[in-house]
Amino acid sequence: MIRGPGHAVNDSLPQAAVSAPVVRDFDIELSIDNVKSWGGDRELYQRFLSLALTADEATGVTDGPLPHAVLGLAALAAWRSGALDLRSDALGRLDEALASGSIARPALASALGLAPSELDDFARAQAQSPFGWPARGDGDVVIARVGGFRGLGGPWTAPPLRGEPGDHDGRFVITLADGERWQLDADIFGTMLTRISSEPTDVRGDVVASGAWPTRLAVFDTSYLAWLVLEQAR
């Protein structure tokens, strides 16, 4: 099957829609609107927040989720849905919850699409790189597919010609065959494409990327997509 843009962590998810959860004293529709405005996916946010709240309820510690738990799980679910700019806040909440035990581990794991046993490895991997993941596999692994032909809903009118590292880990610069240049910001869950000046610049700078999680962009002259690839650890 030919896939369009998307993240590999979402490729095997069930296609069935999940209804928005109902949470006392929490405006779920407002949170959904916010997540969409931040670049997240509504269906993914609903899915992971619902799973997390169900897991929290199953612990039976309190009668309904505590406010700090709802906010923490919502932040994690929003990041998991592709809201790239929430990574720092979500990781801070995850680290605090793991250290204090303030949110049940099954709930934290469900918000991220992980097993509870993977949480610590995930936190350690994310401390090393925005592409850190507890089950990296062997060889090169595709993390995400970005771009696409504008006539079919994508952003580009020409195929990508090359991809280069940007000025920090998780950022890349893509040059199209027609000379347009685009900035790609990415992590394990989300991507953001922004058109930038066509004037060439020194895009590499002093980037310090994790040797444990090296990444590159793969492009082909027969495709309007660019593939973000995680290489073998160096």
Side-chain angles (χ1 to χ4, degrees), residues 95-155:
D95 289 342
E96 187 281 328
L98 289 175
S100 67
S102 58
I103 303 176
R105 290 177 69 92
L108 294 170
S110 295
L112 293 166
L114 298 169
S117 60
E118 296 177 312
L119 276 173
D120 294 313
D121 286 344
F122 174 77
R124 282 192 291 268
Q126 279 291 309
Q128 296 176 331
S129 166
F131 306 109
W133 189 249
R136 65 173 297 151
D138 298 323
D140 291 356
V141 178
V142 173
I143 299 172
R145 306 168 301 276
V146 300
F149 177 50
R150 188 174 299 172
L152 297 176

Side-chain angles (χ1 to χ4, degrees), residues 1 3-13 15 39-41 44 48 78-84 87 112 122 126 130-133 141-147 170 172 184-193 215 217 225-230:
M1 179 176 66
R3 295 190 183 275
H7 267 66
V9 292
N10 299 327
D11 286 344
S12 61
L13 293 177
Q15 295 301 307
D41 179 273
L44 290 178
F48 289 109
W79 177 37
R80 179 62 181 81
S81 78
L84 188 67
R87 176 176 180 266
L112 293 166
F122 174 77
Q126 279 291 309
F131 306 109
W133 189 249
V141 178
V142 173
I143 299 172
R145 306 168 301 276
V146 300
F172 303 85
L184 169 65
D185 291 292
D187 68 7
I188 193 68
F189 297 135
T191 57
M192 181 183 300
L193 279 169
T215 52
L217 277 173
L225 294 177
W227 280 261
L228 181 57
V229 178
L230 175 65

Side-chain angles (χ1 to χ4, degrees), residues 56-95:
D56 183 76
E57 182 180 6
T59 64
V61 176
T62 61
D63 182 18
L66 296 173
H68 79 274
V70 174
L71 293 177
L73 295 173
L76 291 172
W79 177 37
R80 179 62 181 81
S81 78
L84 188 67
D85 288 341
L86 293 186
R87 176 176 180 266
S88 179
D89 177 69
L91 282 176
R93 293 176 184 270
L94 176 62
D95 289 342

